[in-house]
Amino acid sequence: MTRITVAEESADSADVQRCFEAYYSELGALFGYAPDEALPLAVEDLKRPHGLVLLVREGEVGAAVGCGALKLLDGEIAEIKRMWIDQRRRGQGLGGRLLDELEAVAFAEGCSVIRLDSNGRLSAAIGMYRARGYHEVAPFNAEPFATHWMEKRLR
């Protein structure tokens, strides 16, 4: 079995930036996502104390195969951003593991609510969120590419 690690990494690292670019490219092809038209998300927003990035690595050389970011808001709310798993690694539970890790970090940071926005074209991701206790809420941002806004109370 291939070794998988999920660990915090600087938002401006080359591997994180490569994962973000793959995320942008995939969503761009799927439904026209364009980072310059989306709500701004600066690298500084994903560095402590404002946020952080978790990177999923596979194998002995630690190739980056996924990422997920947290924005830490007002001490109680965390928002998941840029959650992505390489297409070749989907269906192996990595998305769920990454989501569990993001939730655990948010909880450890003192957050009681975690939320995210998504697009209806990402039906597998939305299904995973629902299966893990996320429910639809009123829009909490003006993200032009979002069609679903969801949150979960952390315990």
Side-chain angles (χ1 to χ4, degrees):
M1 181 172 200
T2 303
R3 181 173 181 245
I4 299 292
T5 58
V6 180
E8 190 172 337
E9 184 148 340
S10 178
D12 54 9
S13 80
D15 282 341
V16 168
Q17 292 303 307
R18 271 194 293 279
C19 286
F20 284 179
E21 288 301 320
Y23 168 92
Y24 302 144
S25 177
E26 184 177 336
L27 297 188
L30 187 61
F31 58 83
Y33 179 87
D36 56 333
E37 296 174 19
L39 285 180
L41 184 63
V43 168
E44 294 307 313
D45 293 334
L46 302 179
K47 289 185 175 181
R48 291 182 181 273
H50 309 290
L52 57 102
V53 178
L54 297 183
L55 203 62
V56 180
R57 292 187 179 277
E58 173 184 63
E60 295 305 312
V61 295
V65 296
C67 63
L70 281 178
K71 283 178 61 177
L72 302 171
L73 309 171
D74 82 13
E76 183 181 327
I77 299 172
E79 187 175 340
I80 295 173
K81 305 301 290 180
R82 309 297 187 261
M83 188 165 154
W84 172 82
I85 298 293
D86 186 297
Q87 288 182 348
R88 296 166 294 184
R89 302 300 182 266
R90 292 185 189 155
Q92 301 171 11
L94 297 183
R97 180 169 172 188
L98 176 58
L99 187 58
D100 289 345
E101 295 284 344
L102 289 164
E103 290 175 2
V105 170
F107 186 76
E109 292 292 323
C111 297
S112 59
V113 174
I114 193 163
R115 63 188 188 188
L116 56 87
D117 61 65
S118 192
N119 184 285
R121 299 288 305 269
L122 302 172
S123 57
I126 291 170
M128 178 182 68
Y129 301 140
R130 286 183 177 141
R132 290 174 172 270
Y134 287 77
H135 63 276
E136 302 275 342
V137 296
F140 51 79
N141 64 26
E143 174 56 58
F145 296 99
T147 60
H148 294 269
W149 290 263
M150 305 176 90
E151 73 177 29
K152 177 181 179 178
R153 185 151 290 285
L154 297 174
R155 294 187 171 90

